[in-house]
Amino acid sequence: MKHPIIAAVFILLLTSCQKVIDLKVKDASPKYVIEGNVTNLPGPYTVTLSRTTPFNTSWQFNGVGGATVTISDDMGNSETLQESQTGVYQTTGLTGVEGRTYALRITMGEQTFTASSTMPHQVSFDSLYIRELVNFTKTVKAAVPVFTDPKGQGNAYRFNQYINGRLDKGVYYQNDDFTDGLMNSFALLQPDPDSTLRVNDRVEIDMQCIDKAVYEYWFSLDQSSKGDGNGIPANPVTNIQGGALGYFSAHTSQRRSLQVK
Amino acid sequence: MQAQETPPTVKHTISGTIRAKGSGESILRATVTVEGKNIGVTSNDYGFFSITLPDGQYTLVISAIGWETQRVDIKLHDNQQIQTNLEQQGAQLQDATVTAQARGRSIRGTQMGVEHLSTKEIRNVPVLFGERDVLKTLQLLPGVKPVSQGTSGLSVRGGSSDQNLILLDEAPVYNAAHLLGFFSTFNSDAIKDVTLYKGGMPAQYGGRLSSVVDVRMNDGNNQELHVNGGLGLISAKINVEGPLQKDKSSFLFSARRTYADMFLKLSNDSSVNKNSLYFYDLNAKLNFTLGSKDKLYLSGYFGRDNMASQDVFGLNWGNATSTLRWNHTFGPRFFSNTSLIYSYYNYKLRINNNGSNFNVLSELRDWNIKEELQFYLNPRNNIRAGFNAIYHTLNPGVLTGGAKSGVNDTSFQKRFGLENAVFVNNSWKASEKWNISYGARLSIFSALGKGDFYKMAPDGSILDTLHYKDGQVVKTYVNPELRVAISYQLDAASSMKVSYADNTQNMHLISSTNAGFPTDQWVVSNNLIRPEKSHQLSLGYYKNFREDKFEVTVETYYKSLENQIDYRDGANLLGNGTLETELLYGKGRAYGAEWLVRKKTGRLTGWVGYTWSKSQKQIAGINDGKWYNAVQDRTHDISVVGMYKLSPKWMLSANWVYNTGNAVSLPSGKYKEDGRTVYYYSERNGYRMPAYHRLDLSATVQLKEKKHFSSELAFGVYNAYNRNNAFIITFRDNKTDPSKTEAVQTTLFGAVPFISYNFKF
């Protein structure tokens, strides 16, 4: 549940106005950013190591090369990743398996970052349909991924929505705190026009089963780090040890798509 | 041995009640002084006073600001009861304001950091949509600021909004805001008096760190039936009061409802006309005089807000309070008040969106008993003592779905707390120059079962769950609090004061937005959540100029705070059954200086206030453990309030406010994760929102008066020069070049005109 109330204030009072302003901020020293994924689909899997971009500069990928990056699992497998371009490290032989815990280790001279993530057992992504529902003042169409949460709390999910091949920037996630053992009926719904489905759009959903720490990462990112003023601004809660931003996620991945009618 | 029948040292007591002529309303804080002697007492919250003097002849001078002074000659040879009815200065609906501004800090008393407002004073200050509002008028005084712009939430001397004890006829009001904070729950028509303590609270108050806002409802006219009402742009209200039995009993009933949503209904657009947004509230009071020694008051408040978007989303919330009070005098020198108080707050959230349907109910209930004894020992010593016990029941949330809702019915654990306090205080007039008030309050709080409580690791993970049975004590906190206030009279027109107060707080509001939403969650102290504590020292200088036309006040304060609560980065505060694990605790400090110059009489009245202040926290786990500014930290705060009586019919008023922007966290950098822009924050609240300023104007005109009917028209404009104040700053990718970031400022209110019509008969 996000804050429907905030949006309601703006919409119902109808007196608010918005303008783009020029904002001076201090440039903090850049911080390391890590993004690493292992899935149950065939590799290669990628880990990126980069630095943040100052706020008022155009974003670009500031890759950090020359690090030693290894991924190992709890069955004794281990692999050192190859740097395919500056800051982008890829596996060559590793295959992700449900139920295994993966450990990431990145070293650069004195600096070490570590993280671990457990790939949950896959929950079947049974089907996908489009539902009409009301989003504040408009009736909109939104995709509903159908899956049945297994009994027992602790399952968590994340969804990436692609509309005509373009990634929808909305962050979609769920856990089973209130829906344990139930078939999902919640739609992927965001007020942003870029997240809105139109007739004839091709929609593809990537459903990921994620562990608790990764859920908390996406949850906190959505609440606090997207700059949309919903919560108390802060960096997302990372599962990386050593003082970097970002996450390391071992998750399952299933895709379904359809055409909006 | 012959008993000396009437030795010169024999003393008698004069006691009585001070009331308003014509309405029978009790007058609070009226002064009763003995002419020619430097002795006097003040009427209490029920208009009662008692003064003990040696046998003899006296003239009592009874005065209250806004009322004609009365002299009473007394031949004192025995205990005497007197009933005094004061006449209003200038009986018009309007006139009282001219002098009423003087009700402020008196230079004589020990109490500092206190502000009194009567509804008459609130009348002329322009406010949003023309809706008179006690809390918003308080925000124009030094040291008091809105928590978030446009809202009625108070930040007093750097405190957060939950650190104010807001009392309506002694009942704590947990959410004093209507429509998400744009209006306060207090209907000014039903209010007699508002007292705000910013520091040095008397010992009978406790339970919150920053302030006490003591709101007292009118008793109801016990002489004749009166009806008054008003029609504004967004609301209508009516107030009926009158005697049940003349001189003995009376009733009061006030109702108010906004109808802004009626305009939504006029729209042809079905997506707009099915939305609703309104609130209403009711105030009612009955009081009975039972003989010469007893008086009974029953008062109640009920308010409800409703916000709904089509049939899909609904949120309604509100407070209900009721207070039964019994005044009893044990002889002429003992005054007792016993109160039975009930407070209730709840909200209901309804989502009904094509397949995902559920309701959430959250509630908070207090049962509260309070006993206060006042003993007028002699003209130099006035002792107060008493106790208070509150049983809190918090039901954080019950989620109900139904067969096809897609959610499981879930309820979070109820939480229980017993908050007890005993207090004693003596106001001692040590000499002509020295006044000393000293006392203590003992706060005893117990978290009670039944329920599961947790042992937690430093990272917030739960190590162990402890089960407690119904009524079993989980944890008890005992906190003694010292309250001392000393004043020294420098000369007839100036004084210095110093005060010290400890406070303890066991009810904490967990808010994810700081904007004061109805869904913010109250929690009670338990084994993990410790009582918040504050220790405040303040020092003040007071001077009256030009035959009391002008008043200058300077107060400085330093507050140190313990067990201040903040949230872990990325905390999940909504729908979380184990909120404790998302909280971090540390210390805080707040200090500042407040200047106030008031012009109290003449055609032009008003004040200029300036506050310089700082409010910071230091919490391990936030901002690398370094001190950081609290959200409500604002360095400079200026308010100018002016009221000008143009003619007997016309009154013009204006206020201008300026303050440094709130402390905020702004991003220092950015990066991408899975294709999305994420902002990098290098420090907590390291930046400022743009400075806020605003001018409001209003005019009130008396319309033609008939014998039993008077009316007035008030109109004006809020934010007259249409300043685009930043409510929030958000960030997004630039549409044409997504690698660039845009900062977007949202303004809530531009210039808003208003008009309202008020009548009385």
Side-chain angles (χ1 to χ4, degrees):
Chain A
M1 252 182 287
K2 300 229 327 168
H3 289 291
I5 310 157
I6 296 184
V9 175
F10 292 128
I11 292 162
L12 293 174
L13 286 174
L14 298 168
T15 59
S16 66
C17 80
Q18 292 196 325
K19 68 172 185 195
V20 174
I21 56 165
D22 201 18
L23 198 68
K24 298 271 175 292
V25 293
K26 296 167 244 180
D27 282 332
S29 55
K31 203 158 162 93
Y32 286 113
V33 181
I34 294 166
E35 182 170 20
N37 291 289
V38 173
T39 72
N40 61 341
L41 302 176
Y45 311 122
T46 305
V47 173
T48 61
L49 177 65
S50 62
R51 286 193 177 94
T52 55
T53 305
F55 179 80
N56 280 318
T57 311
S58 288
W59 179 80
Q60 56 175 41
F61 180 71
N62 300 319
V64 178
T68 306
V69 181
T70 58
I71 293 178
S72 52
D73 68 15
D74 52 0
M75 302 298 283
N77 304 306
S78 181
E79 188 184 328
T80 300
L81 281 67
Q82 302 299 310
E83 191 170 351
S84 62
Q85 64 182 83
T86 307
V88 180
Y89 303 83
Q90 290 192 308
T91 58
T92 46
L94 188 77
T95 301
V97 178
E98 292 168 38
R100 287 192 189 171
T101 299
Y102 293 86
L104 171 72
R105 185 178 187 83
I106 301 178
T107 48
M108 270 174 312
E110 297 288 288
Q111 193 113 37
T112 303
F113 301 110
T114 58
S116 91
S117 177
T118 302
M119 190 184 299
H121 289 283
Q122 183 160 292
V123 174
S124 173
F125 184 3
D126 296 328
S127 63
L128 178 68
Y129 66 95
I130 301 295
R131 200 169 73 197
E132 286 202 340
L133 67 182
V134 179
N135 192 13
F136 294 110
T137 56
K138 289 195 185 79
T139 301
V140 297
K141 293 172 190 292
V144 184
V146 180
F147 62 93
T148 302
D149 181 74
K151 266 269 175 236
Q153 289 207 329
N155 299 92
Y157 311 91
R158 185 167 92 89
F159 306 91
N160 269 333
Q161 175 166 268
Y162 299 86
I163 305 170
N164 302 321
R166 172 185 56 82
L167 173 71
D168 165 10
K169 302 269 171 73
V171 181
Y172 301 101
Y173 50 88
Q174 268 187 39
N175 66 10
D176 62 356
D177 278 359
F178 302 103
T179 54
D180 186 35
L182 299 179
M183 183 194 278
N184 179 54
S185 66
F186 288 88
L188 307 183
L189 181 65
Q190 288 275 344
D192 196 305
D194 288 348
S195 306
T196 306
L197 302 182
R198 290 173 183 85
V199 175
N200 292 328
D201 278 350
R202 185 94 206 145
V203 179
E204 186 176 31
I205 305 295
D206 175 18
M207 170 174 155
Q208 304 176 353
C209 299
I210 56 179
D211 71 6
K212 187 168 183 284
V214 174
Y215 173 83
E216 280 176 5
Y217 179 82
W218 288 106
F219 172 86
S220 58
L221 183 150
D222 187 48
Q223 295 287 311
S224 312
S225 321
K226 286 196 310 177
D228 56 6
N230 266 348
I232 298 156
N235 296 320
V237 180
T238 180
N239 61 351
I240 293 164
Q241 308 286 315
L245 299 164
Y247 69 95
F248 173 59
S249 170
H251 57 259
T252 66
S253 171
Q254 301 164 81
R255 286 177 182 242
R256 287 191 168 270
S257 68
L258 58 68
Q259 187 124 25
V260 180
K261 289 195 194 92
Chain B
M1 291 268 288
Q2 288 287 315
Q4 288 179 297
E5 289 294 335
T6 49
T9 51
V10 148
K11 291 182 175 179
H12 309 289
T13 302
I14 310 163
S15 62
T17 310
I18 301 167
R19 304 198 166 274
K21 202 170 197 168
S23 72
E25 288 281 345
S26 57
I27 297 174
L28 283 51
R29 289 185 305 278
T31 56
V32 180
T33 48
V34 182
E35 202 167 53
K37 300 194 172 216
N38 190 24
I39 340 182
V41 293
T42 310
S43 68
N44 73 5
D45 294 332
Y46 304 91
F48 177 84
F49 76 94
S50 165
I51 187 163
T52 303
L53 298 165
D55 206 87
Q57 281 200 23
Y58 300 97
T59 302
L60 294 187
V61 182
I62 300 168
S63 59
I65 283 138
W67 305 88
E68 299 287 355
T69 298
Q70 225 178 75
R71 301 169 115 73
V72 183
D73 293 321
I74 291 196
K75 285 188 183 122
L76 192 62
H77 302 303
D78 209 342
N79 286 346
Q80 273 194 35
Q81 274 200 28
I82 61 166
Q83 187 72 248
T84 315
N85 294 311
L86 298 187
E87 203 151 349
Q88 202 164 337
Q89 283 176 340
Q92 297 298 316
L93 199 64
Q94 199 52 51
D95 287 358
T97 48
V98 178
T99 51
Q101 299 306 335
R103 279 182 106 158
R105 294 166 252 219
S106 90
I107 60 164
R108 262 170 196 277
T110 54
Q111 185 62 49
M112 53 188 300
V114 66
E115 304 285 356
H116 301 298
L117 283 175
S118 66
T119 5
K120 290 170 209 146
E121 294 169 82
I122 296 159
R123 192 173 278 276
N124 287 302
V125 176
V127 287
L128 182 62
F129 300 128
E131 195 69 24
R132 274 174 212 140
D133 200 312
V134 294
L135 297 185
K136 286 205 188 147
T137 308
L138 288 177
Q139 290 169 355
L140 295 168
L141 295 164
V144 189
K145 306 163 187 187
V147 165
S148 160
Q149 69 165 268
T151 70
S152 58
L154 300 181
S155 168
V156 178
R157 291 190 168 169
S160 54
S161 64
D162 69 329
Q163 292 175 344
N164 306 308
L165 180 65
I166 299 179
L167 301 173
L168 177 63
D169 272 359
E170 296 187 68
V173 176
Y174 282 93
N175 185 333
H178 277 309
L179 294 186
L180 308 166
F182 298 113
F183 303 96
S184 84
T185 50
F186 303 113
N187 177 352
S188 58
D189 281 359
I191 303 303
K192 179 194 297 210
D193 185 90
V194 180
T195 307
L196 166 77
Y197 298 92
K198 301 187 283 191
M201 298 81 179
Q204 68 263 33
Y205 297 109
R208 298 290 186 281
L209 299 192
S210 308
S211 81
V212 177
V213 181
D214 190 350
V215 181
R216 303 264 165 177
M217 275 166 59
N218 278 322
D219 295 333
N221 194 315
N222 69 9
Q223 301 295 311
E224 50 188 18
L225 185 73
H226 275 287
V227 179
N228 59 57
L231 272 174
L233 265 190
I234 68 147
S235 77
K237 52 191 177 178
I238 187 137
N239 182 62
V240 185
E241 56 186 314
L244 293 169
Q245 192 187 355
K246 200 177 171 190
D247 290 328
K248 290 224 179 281
S249 55
S250 63
F251 74 95
L252 172 127
F253 179 80
S254 281
R256 170 169 74 147
R257 191 198 190 278
T258 62
Y259 43 69
D261 57 320
M262 304 290 178
F263 297 117
L264 299 176
K265 299 256 187 311
L266 298 176
S267 167
N268 292 323
D269 184 347
S270 69
S271 65
V272 174
N273 66 20
K274 281 187 182 163
N275 293 326
S276 69
L277 178 72
Y278 67 86
F279 71 79
Y280 64 88
D281 50 32
L282 309 169
N283 289 77
K285 193 159 178 175
L286 288 173
N287 67 83
F288 307 92
T289 306
L290 311 167
S292 63
K293 289 188 170 162
D294 299 278
K295 189 148 186 172
L296 213 56
Y297 304 79
L298 178 65
S299 54
Y301 167 84
F302 183 82
R304 205 81 203 150
D305 279 61
N306 207 313
M307 188 164 83
S309 173
Q310 313 219 15
D311 302 323
V312 176
F313 164 84
L315 177 66
N316 70 74
W317 71 95
N319 299 282
T321 69
S322 50
T323 311
L324 175 66
R325 283 180 292 188
W326 170 40
N327 288 175
H328 180 73
T329 46
F330 299 93
R333 292 198 289 164
F334 264 109
F335 180 89
S336 149
N337 177 59
T338 311
S339 303
L340 265 175
I341 306 158
Y342 174 77
S343 294
Y344 180 75
Y345 174 74
N346 80 358
Y347 72 82
K348 289 178 192 161
L349 175 70
R350 169 177 55 82
I351 307 278
N352 182 16
N353 208 350
N354 200 359
S356 28
N357 310 330
F358 58 89
N359 297 299
V360 179
L361 166 71
S362 174
E363 51 187 359
L364 188 164
R365 179 178 283 115
D366 275 4
W367 284 103
N368 186 335
I369 182 165
K370 200 169 166 185
E371 169 60 41
E372 197 179 313
L373 272 171
Q374 256 178 288
F375 177 45
Y376 296 84
L377 181 67
N378 56 41
R380 298 205 177 278
N381 290 280
N382 177 2
I383 299 167
R384 266 179 201 251
F387 70 88
N388 180 209
I390 309 176
Y391 184 72
H392 302 286
T393 306
L394 281 71
N395 187 0
V398 179
L399 183 136
T400 45
K404 287 193 172 170
S405 63
V407 295
N408 295 314
D409 290 359
T410 311
S411 33
F412 295 115
Q413 294 190 86
K414 284 189 181 177
R415 292 298 195 200
F416 308 92
L418 184 61
E419 194 169 0
N420 291 304
V422 287
F423 63 87
V424 61
N425 192 82
N426 183 25
S427 296
W428 175 39
K429 291 186 182 88
S431 74
E432 278 204 12
K433 292 192 180 296
W434 292 94
N435 277 311
I436 300 171
S437 164
Y438 56 94
R441 186 179 171 93
L442 188 66
S443 152
I444 307 152
F445 179 85
S446 297
L448 302 176
K450 115 187 204 189
D452 290 345
F453 291 81
Y454 309 101
K455 274 191 177 163
M456 193 179 73
D459 70 347
S461 56
I462 292 169
L463 296 173
D464 197 7
T465 302
L466 313 163
H467 308 284
Y468 286 87
K469 289 197 285 282
D470 206 353
Q472 193 179 352
V473 174
V474 178
K475 178 90 187 172
T476 296
Y477 295 98
V478 179
N479 286 294
E481 301 168 11
L482 186 67
R483 311 284 177 90
V484 182
I486 301 166
S487 82
Y488 177 73
Q489 188 103 17
L490 296 164
D491 54 54
S494 62
S495 67
M496 297 273 299
K497 298 181 192 184
V498 59
S499 77
Y500 176 83
D502 294 317
N503 272 296
T504 311
Q505 179 164 348
N506 286 296
M507 294 289 284
H508 322 273
L509 185 67
I510 307 303
S511 162
S512 57
T513 57
N514 203 49
F517 280 133
T519 52
D520 291 346
Q521 190 65 57
W522 283 94
V523 297
V524 283
S525 297
N526 62 25
N527 60 324
L528 294 175
I529 303 171
R530 281 160 288 165
E532 296 175 65
K533 289 191 233 176
S534 75
H535 315 284
Q536 186 182 176
L537 182 69
S538 35
L539 186 70
Y541 173 76
Y542 311 80
K543 188 168 174 64
N544 291 346
F545 287 98
R546 298 264 208 90
E547 286 126 25
D548 293 358
K549 244 187 203 165
F550 290 91
E551 174 190 81
V552 174
T553 303
V554 185
E555 289 194 9
T556 61
Y557 63 92
Y558 185 91
K559 250 196 290 199
S560 76
L561 303 132
E562 297 171 54
N563 299 333
Q564 295 300 287
I565 300 176
D566 213 327
Y567 318 110
R568 289 177 193 280
D569 285 345
N572 177 11
L573 303 176
L574 274 180
N576 187 337
T578 53
L579 260 185
E580 294 92 323
T581 61
E582 304 283 9
L583 308 178
L584 293 168
Y585 309 91
K587 55 185 180 178
R589 62 186 178 201
Y591 47 92
E594 300 160 358
W595 285 265
L596 181 71
V597 180
R598 255 184 214 249
K599 184 168 182 293
K600 302 195 283 189
T601 55
R603 290 176 76 166
L604 178 70
T605 57
W607 68 87
V608 177
Y610 169 70
T611 308
W612 176 89
S613 64
K614 196 90 208 129
S615 175
Q616 294 183 306
K617 291 183 189 182
Q618 184 188 38
I619 295 175
I622 298 176
N623 204 41
D624 300 324
K626 289 181 289 208
W627 283 97
Y628 63 94
N629 294 330
V631 176
Q632 63 273 16
D633 175 67
R634 281 168 225 167
T635 317
H636 306 286
D637 187 74
I638 302 170
S639 53
V640 182
V641 177
M643 278 154 276
Y644 185 71
K645 194 151 179 74
L646 191 66
S647 72
K649 280 187 184 298
W650 282 87
M651 178 73 142
L652 306 177
S653 58
N655 59 261
W656 182 75
V657 292
Y658 172 94
N659 62 254
T660 310
N662 273 2
V664 283
S665 302
L666 295 180
S668 304
K670 58 193 167 184
Y671 54 104
K672 288 213 179 200
E673 293 286 21
D674 203 9
R676 294 160 180 92
T677 303
V678 186
Y679 298 99
Y680 165 50
Y681 296 90
S682 56
E683 56 188 321
R684 178 75 70 106
N685 296 343
Y687 293 91
R688 291 275 166 198
M689 293 290 276
Y692 179 94
H693 52 92
R694 192 188 82 224
L695 174 73
D696 306 332
L697 300 171
S698 84
T700 309
V701 55
Q702 296 285 320
L703 301 177
K704 208 165 58 188
E705 216 159 319
K706 292 188 185 111
K707 197 181 170 204
H708 285 296
F709 185 86
S710 63
S711 61
E712 64 175 32
L713 197 65
F715 54 93
V717 57
Y718 172 90
N719 194 4
Y721 55 82
N722 196 25
R723 156 87 177 166
N724 280 333
N725 284 305
F727 178 69
I728 195 168
I729 295 174
T730 53
F731 304 95
R732 65 184 183 205
D733 294 345
N734 182 297
K735 278 271 177 277
T736 49
D737 179 0
S739 73
K740 287 205 169 77
T741 304
E742 280 176 0
V744 180
Q745 171 187 306
T746 301
T747 300
L748 274 193
F749 300 106
V752 185
F754 64 85
I755 184 161
S756 68
Y757 171 76
N758 299 303
F759 63 88
K760 189 173 184 173
F761 59 82

